PDB file of all heavy atoms in Angstrom:
ATOM      1  N   PHE A 126      47.785 -33.533  48.253  1.00 97.00           N
ATOM      2  CA  PHE A 126      48.087 -32.172  48.703  1.00 97.00           C
ATOM      3  C   PHE A 126      49.362 -31.628  48.052  1.00 97.00           C
ATOM      4  O   PHE A 126      49.797 -30.523  48.373  1.00 97.00           O
ATOM      5  CB  PHE A 126      48.251 -32.130  50.221  1.00 97.00           C
ATOM      6  CG  PHE A 126      47.061 -32.690  50.970  1.00 97.00           C
ATOM      7  CD1 PHE A 126      47.135 -33.919  51.600  1.00 97.00           C
ATOM      8  CD2 PHE A 126      45.864 -31.987  51.011  1.00 97.00           C
ATOM      9  CE1 PHE A 126      46.043 -34.445  52.277  1.00 97.00           C
ATOM     10  CE2 PHE A 126      44.765 -32.501  51.687  1.00 97.00           C
ATOM     11  CZ  PHE A 126      44.849 -33.734  52.316  1.00 97.00           C
ATOM     12  N   GLY A 127      49.986 -32.420  47.209  1.00 96.00           N
ATOM     13  CA  GLY A 127      51.194 -31.975  46.528  1.00 96.00           C
ATOM     14  C   GLY A 127      52.484 -32.539  47.100  1.00 96.00           C
ATOM     15  O   GLY A 127      53.576 -32.186  46.641  1.00 96.00           O
ATOM     16  N   PHE A 128      52.376 -33.395  48.103  1.00 97.00           N
ATOM     17  CA  PHE A 128      53.586 -34.015  48.657  1.00 97.00           C
ATOM     18  C   PHE A 128      54.049 -35.134  47.747  1.00 97.00           C
ATOM     19  O   PHE A 128      53.240 -35.840  47.131  1.00 97.00           O
ATOM     20  CB  PHE A 128      53.299 -34.601  50.043  1.00 97.00           C
ATOM     21  CG  PHE A 128      53.182 -33.576  51.127  1.00 97.00           C
ATOM     22  CD1 PHE A 128      51.962 -32.985  51.417  1.00 97.00           C
ATOM     23  CD2 PHE A 128      54.301 -33.189  51.848  1.00 97.00           C
ATOM     24  CE1 PHE A 128      51.847 -32.024  52.411  1.00 97.00           C
ATOM     25  CE2 PHE A 128      54.200 -32.228  52.842  1.00 97.00           C
ATOM     26  CZ  PHE A 128      52.975 -31.646  53.125  1.00 97.00           C
ATOM     27  N   SER A 129      55.373 -35.292  47.669  1.00 96.00           N
ATOM     28  CA  SER A 129      55.935 -36.415  46.921  1.00 96.00           C
ATOM     29  C   SER A 129      57.281 -36.768  47.537  1.00 96.00           C
ATOM     30  O   SER A 129      57.820 -36.014  48.354  1.00 96.00           O
ATOM     31  CB  SER A 129      56.100 -36.051  45.444  1.00 96.00           C
ATOM     32  OG  SER A 129      57.002 -34.975  45.329  1.00 96.00           O
ATOM     33  N   THR A 130      57.804 -37.898  47.125  1.00 95.00           N
ATOM     34  CA  THR A 130      59.131 -38.283  47.585  1.00 95.00           C
ATOM     35  C   THR A 130      60.162 -37.449  46.847  1.00 95.00           C
ATOM     36  O   THR A 130      60.169 -37.428  45.618  1.00 95.00           O
ATOM     37  CB  THR A 130      59.368 -39.777  47.298  1.00 95.00           C
ATOM     38  OG1 THR A 130      58.367 -40.508  47.991  1.00 95.00           O
ATOM     39  CG2 THR A 130      60.731 -40.228  47.765  1.00 95.00           C
ATOM     40  N   LEU A 131      60.985 -36.737  47.588  1.00 93.00           N
ATOM     41  CA  LEU A 131      62.045 -35.939  46.975  1.00 93.00           C
ATOM     42  C   LEU A 131      63.362 -36.615  47.339  1.00 93.00           C
ATOM     43  O   LEU A 131      63.767 -36.599  48.495  1.00 93.00           O
ATOM     44  CB  LEU A 131      62.011 -34.494  47.498  1.00 93.00           C
ATOM     45  CG  LEU A 131      60.721 -33.715  47.211  1.00 93.00           C
ATOM     46  CD1 LEU A 131      60.796 -32.307  47.799  1.00 93.00           C
ATOM     47  CD2 LEU A 131      60.463 -33.627  45.713  1.00 93.00           C
ATOM     48  N   PRO A 132      64.003 -37.256  46.369  1.00 92.00           N
ATOM     49  CA  PRO A 132      65.148 -38.117  46.684  1.00 92.00           C
ATOM     50  C   PRO A 132      66.282 -37.401  47.409  1.00 92.00           C
ATOM     51  O   PRO A 132      67.069 -38.035  48.105  1.00 92.00           O
ATOM     52  CB  PRO A 132      65.624 -38.615  45.313  1.00 92.00           C
ATOM     53  CG  PRO A 132      64.508 -38.319  44.363  1.00 92.00           C
ATOM     54  CD  PRO A 132      63.689 -37.212  44.942  1.00 92.00           C
ATOM     55  N   SER A 133      66.369 -36.084  47.274  1.00 95.00           N
ATOM     56  CA  SER A 133      67.490 -35.377  47.905  1.00 95.00           C
ATOM     57  C   SER A 133      67.266 -35.150  49.401  1.00 95.00           C
ATOM     58  O   SER A 133      68.183 -34.758  50.117  1.00 95.00           O
ATOM     59  CB  SER A 133      67.727 -34.035  47.209  1.00 95.00           C
ATOM     60  OG  SER A 133      66.613 -33.185  47.394  1.00 95.00           O
ATOM     61  N   LEU A 134      66.057 -35.398  49.890  1.00 97.00           N
ATOM     62  CA  LEU A 134      65.775 -35.231  51.324  1.00 97.00           C
ATOM     63  C   LEU A 134      65.594 -36.602  51.950  1.00 97.00           C
ATOM     64  O   LEU A 134      64.751 -37.391  51.519  1.00 97.00           O
ATOM     65  CB  LEU A 134      64.514 -34.395  51.532  1.00 97.00           C
ATOM     66  CG  LEU A 134      64.647 -32.906  51.254  1.00 97.00           C
ATOM     67  CD1 LEU A 134      63.303 -32.205  51.415  1.00 97.00           C
ATOM     68  CD2 LEU A 134      65.685 -32.279  52.181  1.00 97.00           C
ATOM     69  N   VAL A 135      66.383 -36.870  52.981  1.00 96.00           N
ATOM     70  CA  VAL A 135      66.442 -38.222  53.538  1.00 96.00           C
ATOM     71  C   VAL A 135      66.128 -38.193  55.023  1.00 96.00           C
ATOM     72  O   VAL A 135      66.636 -37.337  55.764  1.00 96.00           O
ATOM     73  CB  VAL A 135      67.866 -38.815  53.333  1.00 96.00           C
ATOM     74  CG1 VAL A 135      67.993 -40.166  53.994  1.00 96.00           C
ATOM     75  CG2 VAL A 135      68.186 -38.900  51.845  1.00 96.00           C
ATOM     76  N   LEU A 136      65.276 -39.113  55.446  1.00 97.00           N
ATOM     77  CA  LEU A 136      65.065 -39.353  56.874  1.00 97.00           C
ATOM     78  C   LEU A 136      65.585 -40.753  57.156  1.00 97.00           C
ATOM     79  O   LEU A 136      64.982 -41.745  56.721  1.00 97.00           O
ATOM     80  CB  LEU A 136      63.586 -39.243  57.249  1.00 97.00           C
ATOM     81  CG  LEU A 136      63.286 -39.393  58.741  1.00 97.00           C
ATOM     82  CD1 LEU A 136      63.842 -38.218  59.538  1.00 97.00           C
ATOM     83  CD2 LEU A 136      61.776 -39.514  58.984  1.00 97.00           C
ATOM     84  N   PRO A 137      66.729 -40.854  57.852  1.00 95.00           N
ATOM     85  CA  PRO A 137      67.346 -42.172  58.038  1.00 95.00           C
ATOM     86  C   PRO A 137      66.406 -43.129  58.771  1.00 95.00           C
ATOM     87  O   PRO A 137      65.673 -42.734  59.675  1.00 95.00           O
ATOM     88  CB  PRO A 137      68.583 -41.867  58.898  1.00 95.00           C
ATOM     89  CG  PRO A 137      68.867 -40.420  58.673  1.00 95.00           C
ATOM     90  CD  PRO A 137      67.530 -39.773  58.446  1.00 95.00           C
ATOM     91  N   GLY A 138      66.453 -44.387  58.342  1.00 93.00           N
ATOM     92  CA  GLY A 138      65.754 -45.432  59.085  1.00 93.00           C
ATOM     93  C   GLY A 138      64.307 -45.637  58.712  1.00 93.00           C
ATOM     94  O   GLY A 138      63.620 -46.429  59.364  1.00 93.00           O
ATOM     95  N   VAL A 139      63.804 -44.933  57.699  1.00 92.00           N
ATOM     96  CA  VAL A 139      62.412 -45.174  57.306  1.00 92.00           C
ATOM     97  C   VAL A 139      62.378 -45.510  55.815  1.00 92.00           C
ATOM     98  O   VAL A 139      63.237 -45.060  55.056  1.00 92.00           O
ATOM     99  CB  VAL A 139      61.492 -43.961  57.585  1.00 92.00           C
ATOM    100  CG1 VAL A 139      61.534 -43.571  59.050  1.00 92.00           C
ATOM    101  CG2 VAL A 139      61.845 -42.771  56.707  1.00 92.00           C
ATOM    102  N   PRO A 140      61.375 -46.291  55.383  1.00 91.00           N
ATOM    103  CA  PRO A 140      61.270 -46.578  53.949  1.00 91.00           C
ATOM    104  C   PRO A 140      61.098 -45.264  53.190  1.00 91.00           C
ATOM    105  O   PRO A 140      60.226 -44.458  53.534  1.00 91.00           O
ATOM    106  CB  PRO A 140      59.995 -47.433  53.852  1.00 91.00           C
ATOM    107  CG  PRO A 140      59.725 -47.921  55.238  1.00 91.00           C
ATOM    108  CD  PRO A 140      60.307 -46.901  56.174  1.00 91.00           C
ATOM    109  N   PRO A 141      61.933 -45.000  52.179  1.00 93.00           N
ATOM    110  CA  PRO A 141      61.943 -43.688  51.537  1.00 93.00           C
ATOM    111  C   PRO A 141      60.593 -43.283  50.962  1.00 93.00           C
ATOM    112  O   PRO A 141      60.262 -42.092  50.922  1.00 93.00           O
ATOM    113  CB  PRO A 141      62.995 -43.821  50.433  1.00 93.00           C
ATOM    114  CG  PRO A 141      63.573 -45.168  50.534  1.00 93.00           C
ATOM    115  CD  PRO A 141      62.943 -45.909  51.652  1.00 93.00           C
TER     116      PRO A 141
END
Side-chain angles (χ1 to χ4, degrees):
F126 305 107
F128 285 89
S129 62
T130 300
L131 299 179
S133 65
L134 287 176
V135 175
L136 184 68
V139 303

